[in-house]
Amino acid sequence: MKLDILVFAAHPDDAELSCSGTLALHIAQGSKVGIIDLTQGELGTRGNIQTRQKEAEKASQILGLHLRENLGFADGFFRNDKEHQLAIIHKIRQYKPKIVLTNAITDRHPDHARAAELVRDACFLAGLRKIETFQEAHRPDFVYHFIQDRYIQPTFVVDITDFWEIKKQAILAYTTQFNAPKGDSEPQTYISTPEFFDFIEARAKEFGHQIGAIYGEGFTTSRMIGVNSLWHLR
């Protein structure tokens, strides 16, 4: 399967929190979209590998993804090295995406910035034909980084107003991670309180406000963005 947009996310739920409105928008427009999670989120305080997998499957159905896979890297301990780069290069060459979305360039969780660097480097290396993986070399046209816990000034913002409810449902599919009731059997964490979800909505409203929309998702890029016409801007 050839994908138009492929997300590489450090943990299951990273994509839902940060770019699922954008994914839902493009799926509705006919794009083929997939997510590849780098780890199983096994170091998360709440839940476990099995519950996280079921939650990711449910979120994928809500979004209408064409593909979801997990590379099984070690949560908290994967590195930007040849072994991990080759695993990502293989997937880039297999699915040949035009656009790759990945983690924030800096963030509260160290895995996020590490994943951003790893995926960015692998996207470039995937275009070098002398790196042999028994596949045709392929380099995505664009690599964009979503914005996560820490505020980063976006390079551009996508209007997700019509897809906010889908994003919300996809996030809340992770019942062990978000909006947990007080007094359940597992400890509350930074992300499990209702206040954290309030922050996610406030961030989306903030980005939306900046472009004259109700809800938005922000992205950054390390390369200059070109347009064919001023009419493509809003």
Side-chain angles (χ1 to χ4, degrees):
M1 181 191 303
K2 185 179 185 300
L3 296 174
D4 299 302
I5 300 173
L6 179 56
V7 182
F8 287 99
H11 311 105
D13 75 26
D14 282 356
E16 284 82 358
L17 286 167
S18 307
C19 67
S20 57
T22 299
L23 301 185
L25 164 67
H26 286 85
I27 290 168
Q29 293 175 344
S31 296
K32 291 191 179 298
V33 176
I35 296 175
I36 297 180
D37 300 305
L38 303 187
T39 77
Q40 296 175 296
E42 63 268 24
L43 296 184
T45 301
R46 298 174 58 87
N48 53 48
I49 291 175
Q50 290 74 28
T51 57
R52 203 73 168 265
Q53 181 180 353
K54 290 179 181 177
E55 291 165 350
E57 290 172 356
K58 182 176 180 181
S60 300
Q61 292 172 359
I62 291 168
L63 292 172
L65 296 178
H66 298 86
L67 169 87
R68 187 149 201 169
E69 295 182 4
N70 194 299
L71 290 179
F73 293 171
D75 190 8
F77 295 99
F78 67 85
R79 290 289 176 263
N80 183 9
D81 58 18
K82 182 178 181 180
E83 176 186 358
H84 292 85
Q85 289 168 359
L86 284 172
I88 295 174
I89 288 168
H90 172 75
K91 293 301 178 181
I92 292 170
R93 291 178 172 181
Q94 180 178 357
Y95 296 117
K96 295 180 171 54
K98 297 177 182 177
I99 296 173
V100 163
L101 305 180
T102 192
N103 289 92
I105 56 174
T106 182
D107 205 43
R108 173 177 177 267
H109 196 309
D111 276 359
H112 296 169
R114 191 181 308 117
E117 182 182 82
L118 168 62
V119 173
R120 180 201 65 202
D121 291 352
C123 284
F124 179 83
L125 294 173
L128 302 180
R129 64 182 181 86
K130 290 187 178 180
I131 296 178
E132 296 183 2
T133 61
F134 304 101
Q135 299 162 302
E136 181 182 355
H138 174 80
R139 183 175 295 146
D141 294 335
F142 303 100
V143 179
Y144 299 134
H145 299 270
F146 40 79
I147 297 169
Q148 299 185 257
D149 188 78
R150 296 298 184 248
Y151 181 85
I152 301 173
Q153 181 68 27
T155 305
F156 64 91
V157 173
V158 177
D159 180 355
I160 64 161
T161 302
D162 292 341
F163 298 90
W164 167 252
E165 287 302 321
I166 294 178
K167 176 186 175 82
K168 181 178 177 179
Q169 292 172 29
I171 293 171
L172 294 179
Y174 291 86
T175 55
T176 64
Q177 303 301 308
F178 306 114
N179 235 17
K182 292 182 179 180
D184 71 356
S185 60
E186 297 195 79
Q188 286 279 8
T189 67
Y190 173 74
I191 66 172
S192 68
T193 64
E195 290 76 20
F196 180 77
F197 192 85
D198 291 342
F199 155 71
I200 294 298
E201 183 168 8
R203 171 67 61 74
K205 286 183 174 180
E206 176 186 25
F207 284 156
H209 177 73
Q210 292 185 30
I211 61 168
I214 299 176
Y215 294 104
E217 288 177 337
F219 298 86
T220 67
T221 178
S222 59
R223 60 167 283 189
M224 188 69 70
I225 296 176
V227 297
N228 295 321
S229 167
L230 295 180
W231 300 114
H232 292 169
L233 305 176
R234 59 171 296 170

